[in-house]
Amino acid sequence: MAINRVGVVGAGQMGNGIAHVFALAGYEVLMTDISADALEAAKALISKNLDRQVSREVISQAQKDEAFSRIGSTLTLTDLGQTDLIIEAATERETVKQAIFEDLIPHLKPDTILTSNTSSISITRLAARTDRPEKFMGFHFMNPVPVMQLVELIRGIATDKETFDTCLAVVDSLGKTASSSEDFPAFIVNRILMPMINEAIYTLYEGVGSVKSIDTSLKLGANHPMGPLELADFIGLDTCLAIMNVLHDGLADTKYRPCPLLTKYVEAGWLGRKTQRGFYDYRGDEPVPTR
């Protein structure tokens, strides 16, 4: 199948990065969101990130201008109906994702491929609520999308080979590497990463170490580029909690029980960098541990 026009649902942290890489790879991109401000902010951030690539001589000014000109935006979800591939990158709540796909279905071309950037939710279950489960799959980018090289491709039980092969070719065209995952809770990356982050939060909760000592230990002792609590703030503590709940509910194993301290931070609205407070306070010149 030929993919030329790509629709991106959601202009947040993941959506704008996805639009960025597709436009740079030569695809026409149409991005939608429920907020006009979010769309404007996304376009501004994409322009800024492309400028950064120009300054680092990763791309030329002409490539930046051409890529940016390929990105359109709309507040009307159904405008995406004539695209060849749709990537849903809305909030990590299954009911929200289901509602988006249900609204899109009557307006789609017969051969449009539907995908979700979900980091943990069942692809088979999402696909079953659509009219094309064979043309539905998981298309999970890593954050930040322009920098990270991996894309997880997740087949639902009904996904056909043509859809998978088409999405694999798209990943190759982006200059990224695909890993194929079976459709089980949290797939590969988050199945391994999130329990580690959750255990780091338990280590803090139980008083084994402070925020600073835990992050320093993993950065210097395991050669991680970012400590687990710093990484949790970067991902978003609400997203971390949502993924841990999917693991706990889907696998029914107590080793995936979300740490009560993670729940408490989310209840407080301290979600990490995006709210200026999480395991660190970002409101000053330098991040300061909150515990």
Side-chain angles (χ1 to χ4, degrees):
M1 290 178 60
I3 304 296
N4 298 303
R5 300 189 68 212
V6 177
V8 179
V9 182
Q13 192 174 41
M14 297 303 294
N16 74 66
I18 293 168
H20 174 143
V21 298
F22 271 94
L24 199 54
Y27 295 91
E28 294 295 325
V29 179
L30 184 59
M31 182 169 51
T32 187
D33 199 280
I34 57 173
S35 164
D37 289 343
L39 287 171
E40 286 300 314
K43 293 286 287 289
L45 184 58
I46 292 168
S47 181
K48 178 181 175 183
N49 288 337
L50 286 167
D51 284 337
R52 184 180 292 118
Q53 289 180 301
V54 172
S55 68
R56 293 175 179 173
E57 298 184 347
V58 175
I59 62 174
S60 67
Q61 183 63 45
Q63 286 174 303
K64 184 257 177 169
D65 294 340
E66 289 170 11
F68 196 69
S69 71
R70 295 188 191 106
I71 301 172
S73 62
T74 178
L75 289 168
T76 306
L77 176 66
T78 54
D79 287 349
L80 272 59
Q82 295 306 302
T83 58
D84 306 311
L85 168 68
I86 293 177
I87 302 173
E88 171 275 314
T91 188
E92 191 70 356
R93 293 208 304 272
E94 188 165 348
T95 53
V96 172
K97 295 178 186 298
Q98 287 173 346
I100 288 167
F101 291 125
E102 286 170 6
D103 287 346
L104 276 169
I105 285 166
H107 306 276
L108 299 178
K109 298 189 300 181
D111 58 351
T112 297
I113 293 174
L114 287 176
T115 70
S116 177
N117 184 59
T118 178
S119 51
S120 61
I121 296 169
S122 168
I123 298 302
T124 298
R125 199 163 60 237
L126 288 173
R129 298 288 293 269
T130 74
D131 66 342
R132 59 194 68 205
E134 72 287 349
K135 293 188 179 300
F136 191 110
M137 65 182 299
F139 209 122
H140 181 215
F141 288 86
M142 305 296 122
N143 186 36
V145 180
V147 175
M148 301 296 280
Q149 289 301 302
L150 185 73
V151 179
E152 282 184 312
L153 292 180
I154 307 101
R155 276 176 281 204
I157 197 168
T159 307
D160 64 25
K161 185 176 187 299
E162 183 184 19
T163 298
F164 178 80
D165 289 346
T166 299
C167 289
L168 182 61
V170 168
V171 174
D172 288 342
S173 75
L174 299 177
K176 295 188 182 295
T177 301
S179 70
S180 179
S181 170
E182 293 300 315
D183 184 24
F184 290 103
F187 319 130
I188 295 172
V189 173
N190 283 317
R191 173 75 178 264
I192 297 166
L193 176 64
M194 284 302 159
M196 183 200 76
I197 287 175
N198 195 51
E199 192 62 29
I201 300 169
Y202 266 115
T203 305
L204 178 65
Y205 175 63
E206 294 169 2
V208 179
S210 65
V211 168
K212 184 177 180 182
S213 63
I214 292 166
D215 277 352
T216 299
S217 294
L218 268 293
K219 283 193 283 189
L220 301 184
N223 204 28
H224 290 188
M226 193 181 291
L229 302 176
E230 183 185 2
L231 179 57
D233 276 357
F234 181 75
I235 294 168
L237 303 192
D238 52 340
T239 300
C240 294
L241 179 59
I243 295 170
M244 288 309 302
N245 280 326
V246 166
L247 281 166
H248 191 232
D249 295 344
L251 298 171
D253 192 324
T254 56
K255 72 180 181 180
Y256 298 116
R257 183 172 70 97
C259 179
L261 184 60
L262 173 59
T263 302
K264 191 66 65 182
Y265 269 74
V266 173
E267 288 173 343
W270 291 20
L271 308 181
R273 285 184 176 270
K274 61 187 173 186
T275 60
Q276 295 296 297
R277 280 191 291 185
F279 292 110
Y280 293 85
D281 188 326
Y282 300 93
R283 293 173 297 175
D285 293 336
E286 295 288 334
V288 178
T290 54
R291 292 179 82 86

